[in-house]
Amino acid sequence: MERVINFSAGPSVLPLAVLHKAQSELLSVAGSGQSVMEMSHRSPVFEHILAQAETDLRTLLGIPENYKVLFLQGGASLQFTMIPMNLLKGTKKVDFIHTGEWSKKAMAEVKRFGSVNVVASSEATQFDRIPSFSAKDFSDDAEYIHYVSNNTIFGTRLTEFPKLPNDKILVCDMSSDILSKPIDVSRHGLIFAGAQKNMGIAGLTVVILREDLLGRVPNLPPMLDYKVQADNASLYNTPPCFSIYMAGLVFEWLLAQGGLSVIEAKNEAKAKLLYDYLDASPFYRATVPLTKDRSIMNVCFVSPSPEMDAAFVKFAEAKGLVNLKGHRLVGGMRASIYNGMTIENVQTLIRVLDEFVQRQR
Ligand SMILES: *Cc1c(COP(=O)(O)O)cnc(C)c1O
């Protein structure tokens, strides 16, 4: 079976070594004679898998002691609802940096519980950049600030956040760039990410939150209450066992690579290679103009026409490079080059991009 080069935005490519490891343990994990999919989530083998996954994630991200790590279900989308449900108790106002479709969806959920203040927005330019903002732009009475670190659809990333007073609670949607580089967890009140982009497979959502944010709102439905989930160490009910196991294998792989600084250097190198090629090309154009705003996970670009875009996607597919079609809101192409994408495969993409240009002569 020949594998393709997969540029899917999510679910997305996994390191081959991780898939091989999962394959080798599929029928019997840790000498148990059972697959992870078949055993009790309260068995010692699974409890070890869960505990090791948490330990490794804590090591990778340098998560401080006063933060909980929760392994939940419902995707990043359920967090759009759970966050305001669990955090809003006073003014019920939330400050937003509006950078695309995912902040828009999150704002819609906040409005069920309270109100939204848009601090900065790049909607006027179809989210092709990160809007500028500074510490003084935030409202005094917002209960937290929500931002998206990497905009999967529009291919932008927010790398610098102004220094804020300590009592400000920063909430970050890191669904598409968590584990792509080291981060300062302690600057955040809550970080969340669906696993299926850069952390593993669908079915798992990781929430990292500061302990003092637990139990702010009483009497929530238990499955939607961070405190219940934390008090039960993510085992209030059956967790997504296999997805947790797969994320654990990804964490183990990341540690073996040398950790997130090493991975970051690789990710920056991959993205630079591709953007440099696009910038030098008279044929293609990266849709995000400013280098500082360009995502190193999702590289969006266009050819001279939508017809040509479609022809390129077909051409690439015939050569085994798949899922390069851009999101319908942006058009063109999108190459998602998460941790699992090798630099060799990015080089192949560039070769194929170039071959396509030669064909147009
Ligand atoms: C994919 C994505 C989501 C939605 O994730 P689901 O797990 O499908 O709910 C939210 N935010 C960002 C930044 C994403 O890339």
Side-chain angles (χ1 to χ4, degrees):
M1 176 71 201
E2 188 90 355
R3 277 179 58 87
V4 294
I5 303 181
N6 179 11
F7 293 94
S8 171
S12 39
V13 64
L14 287 162
L16 200 55
V18 165
L19 292 174
H20 279 309
K21 178 91 193 274
Q23 185 179 40
S24 76
E25 296 182 334
L26 192 71
L27 301 184
S28 172
V29 68
S32 67
Q34 310 154 61
S35 79
V36 180
M37 292 175 279
E38 300 166 300
M39 65 177 56
S40 166
H41 56 294
R42 304 199 188 276
S43 63
V45 173
F46 185 74
E47 287 203 331
H48 176 74
I49 289 170
L50 181 62
Q52 193 62 49
E54 177 171 344
T55 301
D56 289 348
L57 185 62
R58 283 183 178 276
T59 305
L60 283 164
L61 289 173
I63 301 174
E65 292 259 343
N66 62 326
Y67 282 72
K68 294 283 187 196
V69 176
L70 305 179
F71 295 94
L72 307 179
Q73 307 192 45
S77 299
L78 183 59
Q79 293 312 306
F80 297 163
T81 314
M82 275 178 77
I83 295 165
M85 205 181 215
N86 280 264
L87 299 192
L88 295 182
K89 60 165 188 180
T91 65
K92 306 205 168 181
K93 184 167 157 188
V94 181
D95 276 351
F96 264 86
I97 308 296
H98 185 21
T99 51
E101 201 59 12
W102 297 117
S103 51
K104 181 175 153 193
K105 291 214 159 111
M107 287 194 281
E109 289 308 298
V110 164
K111 286 176 185 166
R112 293 179 196 277
F113 303 91
S115 66
V116 160
N117 173 49
V118 178
V119 171
S121 166
S122 51
E123 191 168 14
T125 55
Q126 279 77 51
F127 303 111
D128 71 342
R129 66 199 63 201
I130 298 296
S132 58
F133 57 93
S134 65
K136 65 171 175 21
D137 299 331
F138 295 95
S139 49
D140 292 331
D141 58 348
E143 294 198 76
Y144 65 90
I145 298 161
H146 182 119
Y147 79 102
V148 183
S149 53
N150 183 76
N151 296 282
T152 327
I153 293 173
F154 297 95
T156 61
R157 66 164 170 173
L158 197 164
T159 46
E160 272 175 57
F161 216 93
K163 180 137 179 55
L164 299 171
N166 282 340
D167 60 343
K168 291 276 185 203
I169 298 169
L170 209 48
V171 169
C172 184
D173 179 354
M174 284 192 196
S175 292
S176 52
D177 69 345
I178 193 163
L179 300 176
S180 67
K181 60 178 182 186
I183 51 161
D184 184 356
V185 173
S186 73
R187 286 200 69 185
H188 297 84
L190 188 153
I191 291 167
F192 68 102
Q196 71 273 20
K197 275 135 190 176
N198 207 28
M199 196 161 39
I201 64 171
L204 168 68
T205 310
V206 168
V207 174
I208 301 163
L209 84 165
R210 223 172 53 208
E211 275 168 0
D212 62 286
L213 300 179
L214 296 168
R216 276 161 73 103
V217 177
N219 292 322
L220 294 176
M223 284 296 291
L224 304 178
D225 189 340
Y226 292 135
K227 183 158 187 337
V228 171
Q229 297 288 1
D231 287 348
N232 289 278
S234 305
L235 290 169
Y236 174 75
N237 72 330
T238 317
C241 301
F242 196 76
S243 303
I244 292 170
Y245 162 76
M246 287 300 292
L249 293 186
V250 170
F251 302 158
E252 195 179 278
W253 178 81
L254 286 167
L255 287 168
Q257 300 297 299
L260 299 188
S261 301
V262 174
I263 286 293
E264 178 183 33
K266 288 184 181 172
N267 287 332
E268 291 285 353
K270 284 186 290 182
K272 184 171 188 313
L273 207 61
L274 189 46
Y275 283 120
D276 281 353
Y277 171 78
L278 296 171
D279 286 345
S281 164
F283 188 83
Y284 302 104
R285 177 177 59 82
T287 57
V288 177
L290 300 173
T291 307
K292 76 165 181 58
D293 294 343
R294 286 176 171 175
S295 168
I296 61 166
M297 298 277 97
N298 314 98
V299 178
C300 297
F301 58 99
V302 291
S303 74
S305 73
E307 293 72 34
M308 207 77 100
D309 291 341
F312 170 73
V313 169
K314 229 175 131 191
F315 178 77
E317 213 167 276
K319 294 186 174 289
L321 280 64
V322 306
N323 295 322
L324 279 163
K325 190 173 186 296
H327 192 279
R328 68 196 145 73
L329 292 173
V330 183
M333 278 72 74
R334 171 174 53 175
S336 296
I337 51 175
Y338 298 114
N339 287 348
M341 178 66 60
T342 63
I343 196 153
E344 291 76 20
N345 286 346
V346 174
Q347 284 160 343
T348 302
L349 170 61
I350 291 171
R351 215 160 45 237
V352 171
L353 283 164
D354 219 43
E355 274 175 42
F356 184 72
V357 178
Q358 302 308 327
R359 288 241 170 161
Q360 312 309 317
R361 299 249 157 110

